[in-house]
Amino acid sequence: LRMPIFVERQFTKHRIGVEINSISGRYVHFDGTCYYPDIWRKGSVSIKQGSLDEPVEDADKVDVLYYEAVDSAVQVYEQLLMLGVCKEPERMVLPLSLITEMICTMSLQAAFHFYRLRSSAHAQREIQWFAQHIGTLFASTFPLSWNALVKYRME
């Protein structure tokens, strides 16, 4: 799987029945690819961790600030590499939007639990995408079992 580090953090909260091996940047050099959202959603005053389904008013200004911050962080990362800094501290400057990779195996029950929680409308939009794809993958690979889980366990 390829995803931004901030999404990986939500993904890795699911531990039971799940094995994950992800790139930490300690042994492998990151290529500097980052996630750039299509839309900047407004924050919600009443939903502690949620967002509204409406864009911010100054999206162009947000884009400029975000691109500058991400580009600067990646440039510093590359400069530290050229200066001979080892990978452990070198990676500390990278943003949470950096794309990382992981190999993940999970039981059918763990996949369903992840799908049920993270495909909810209350979950962050970026993790919902992965939940939907995992649901599609498991539904096509294990159709009878997946349909039974959906029918009898998802309420």
Side-chain angles (χ1 to χ4, degrees):
L1 301 171
R2 289 179 47 86
M3 64 184 65
I5 291 172
F6 74 92
V7 175
E8 179 197 30
R9 286 186 173 179
Q10 291 180 37
F11 196 102
T12 58
K13 288 183 180 283
H14 301 269
R15 291 287 186 191
I16 298 172
V18 180
E19 292 291 327
I20 295 172
N21 184 4
S22 65
I23 294 174
S24 69
R26 187 171 179 200
Y27 305 108
V28 177
H29 179 75
F30 284 113
D31 67 4
T33 303
C34 292
Y35 170 74
Y36 296 91
D38 295 333
I39 186 171
W40 294 102
R41 299 181 305 273
K42 280 187 179 181
S44 172
V45 177
S46 61
I47 306 170
K48 207 184 326 185
Q49 298 174 344
S51 62
L52 302 174
D53 278 332
E54 53 188 88
V56 297
E57 292 164 12
D58 276 338
D60 292 338
K61 188 180 285 188
V62 174
D63 276 342
V64 169
L65 291 170
Y66 181 74
Y67 285 100
E68 285 176 356
V70 168
D71 290 344
S72 175
V74 171
Q75 286 176 17
V76 169
Y77 173 72
E78 295 295 339
Q79 289 173 4
L80 291 174
L81 175 68
M82 290 186 333
L83 291 169
V85 175
C86 66
K87 286 185 175 59
E88 286 95 346
E90 174 191 44
R91 63 190 169 155
M92 293 186 299
V93 300
L94 290 169
L96 291 175
S97 61
L98 183 77
I99 301 295
T100 188
E101 296 180 19
M102 71 164 77
I103 296 172
C104 177
T105 58
M106 57 179 44
S107 69
L108 182 62
Q109 182 180 8
F112 182 73
H113 181 69
F114 174 82
Y115 169 78
R116 188 171 55 86
L117 291 176
R118 299 301 182 171
S119 64
S120 162
H122 299 290
Q124 186 173 350
R125 185 166 295 153
E126 289 80 3
I127 196 82
Q128 287 178 23
W129 187 86
F130 285 94
Q132 292 298 330
H133 282 280
I134 284 175
T136 300
L137 173 67
F138 275 81
S140 66
T141 307
F142 307 102
L144 295 174
S145 300
W146 192 263
N147 288 335
L149 284 169
V150 169
K151 183 176 181 180
Y152 297 110
R153 294 196 63 201
M154 189 167 199
E155 298 169 300

